[in-house]
């Protein structure tokens, strides 16, 4: 079930790495950089392999094995190997799905019209040493990585570090400092006006309260007047 395997800086023995065999049927990415690999003759059958990293080894030929063992390769890195002539690279014509080939730091790159010759020889490839025929740089990631970037963007939209939002809030608060003085002046005026209105209402209440006291005194006076009369009636009884 392994889909990616990195064996960089391991040491090959007699052209193979112990444990790497046909059982890796689901393998899509294999990296064997700087393992002192001299040949690909013992490379296992990896029919689903898409990317193969073989940089900084001592491979000088025998590339025809790749079309047989890894027929679906789209990316092949042979930089830093002992590849010297176009005849060696010609064996890659049978890799029909190959889109990117890296031969950087191989002797073959010193040939005159090296790039034009490779693009003419391997017409299926789009990128050589990271650039196409118009010298446009190859994208850093493939479709799978692009999808991962979209997921990352979604994650950022869904949830970000709380500190960022707090900083934004602080900035917003700081931006409104200039207007606070004006608002305070407006509030002060309205507050004073409210106080004046309340004072007037309080005065009215005071007057009304005085009327109530006068009415209460009148009631008491009536009671006093009635009391003697009531007493007279009681005496008559």
């Amino acid at each position: 079930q392994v889909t990616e395997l990195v064996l960089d800086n391991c040491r090959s023995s007699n052209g193979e790495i112990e444990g790497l065999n046909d059982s890796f049927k689901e393998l899509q990415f294999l990296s064997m950089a700087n393992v002192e690999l001299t040949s690909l003759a013992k490379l296992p059958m990896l029919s689903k392999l898409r990317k193969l990293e073989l940089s900084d080894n001592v491979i000088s030929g025998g590339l025809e094995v790749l079309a047989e063992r890894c027929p679906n390769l789209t990316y092949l890195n042979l930089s830093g190997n002992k590849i010297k002539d176009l005849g060696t690279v010609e064996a890659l014509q049978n890799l029909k799905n190959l889109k990117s080939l890296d031969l950087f730091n191989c002797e073959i790159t010193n040939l005159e019209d090296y790039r034009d010759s490779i693009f003419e020889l391997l017409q299926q490839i789009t990128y050589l040493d990271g650039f196409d025929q118009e010298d446009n740089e190859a994208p850093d990631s493939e479709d799978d990585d692009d999808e991962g970037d979209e997921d990352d963007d979604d994650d950022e939209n869904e949830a970000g570090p709380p500190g960022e939002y707090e900083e934004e809030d602080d900035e917003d608060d700081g931006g409104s400092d200039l207007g606070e003085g004006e608002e305070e002046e407006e509030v002060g005026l309205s507050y004073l006006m409210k106080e004046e209105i309340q004072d007037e209402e309080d005065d009215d209440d005071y007057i009304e309260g005085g009327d109530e006291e006068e009415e209460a005194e009148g009631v008491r006076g009536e009671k006093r007047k009635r009391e003697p009369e009531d007493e007279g009636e009681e005496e008559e009884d």
Side-chain angles (χ1 to χ4, degrees), residues 8-207:
D8 297 353
N9 303 316
C10 295
R11 288 292 173 262
S12 62
S13 176
N14 297 323
E16 66 178 340
I17 292 180
E18 184 177 356
L20 182 62
N21 51 49
D22 295 347
S23 64
F24 291 90
K25 296 184 182 302
E26 301 299 319
L27 202 61
Q28 297 180 26
F29 174 84
L30 173 61
S31 183
M32 295 190 294
N34 189 31
V35 297
E36 298 182 357
L37 200 61
T38 58
S39 169
L40 297 174
K42 295 185 179 180
L43 189 69
M45 289 289 296
L46 302 169
S47 60
K48 291 188 178 182
L49 195 68
R50 294 176 59 226
K51 297 181 180 181
L52 181 58
E53 290 269 3
L54 296 171
S55 59
D56 300 322
N57 285 293
V58 285
I59 299 168
S60 58
L63 301 183
E64 61 276 357
V65 173
L66 291 173
E68 177 188 348
R69 311 284 172 83
C70 312
N72 292 308
L73 275 184
T74 60
Y75 173 90
L76 176 60
N77 187 348
L78 290 168
S79 61
N81 278 276
K82 303 297 183 181
I83 298 170
K84 300 178 180 180
D85 53 63
L86 294 173
T88 303
V89 177
E90 187 176 2
L92 299 177
Q93 287 178 334
N94 293 325
L95 286 171
K96 302 300 182 184
N97 296 318
L98 189 64
K99 298 299 178 186
S100 180
L101 174 64
D102 197 334
L103 296 171
F104 178 75
N105 208 26
C106 292
E107 288 186 40
I108 191 174
T109 60
N110 296 324
L111 294 177
E112 189 176 355
D113 298 328
Y114 152 71
R115 288 183 60 80
D116 292 339
S117 300
I118 294 293
F119 277 117
E120 184 177 351
L121 185 65
L122 305 176
Q123 296 186 5
Q124 77 273 33
I125 69 171
T126 304
Y127 300 103
L128 175 62
D129 302 336
F131 293 87
D132 65 11
Q133 283 182 281
E134 284 74 35
D135 289 332
N136 296 314
E137 190 172 1
D140 291 335
S141 58
E142 304 248 340
D143 294 338
D144 294 341
D145 295 332
D146 291 338
E147 290 176 6
D149 292 341
E150 291 176 3
D151 292 340
D152 291 342
D153 293 339
D154 293 340
D155 292 339
E156 289 177 1
N157 293 332
E158 287 176 4
E164 293 181 3
Y165 296 105
E166 291 174 1
E167 289 177 4
E168 290 177 2
D169 293 340
D170 293 342
E171 289 176 1
D172 293 340
D173 293 342
S176 63
D177 287 346
L178 295 175
E180 282 182 1
E182 297 175 0
E183 290 178 3
E184 286 177 0
E185 290 180 4
E186 292 177 2
V187 170
L189 291 172
S190 62
Y191 181 74
L192 291 173
M193 292 178 69
K194 285 180 181 178
E195 281 190 338
E196 291 176 2
I197 293 167
Q198 287 177 355
D199 290 342
E200 291 176 2
E201 290 176 352
D202 291 343
D203 293 341
D204 294 341
D205 292 343
Y206 180 76
I207 293 167

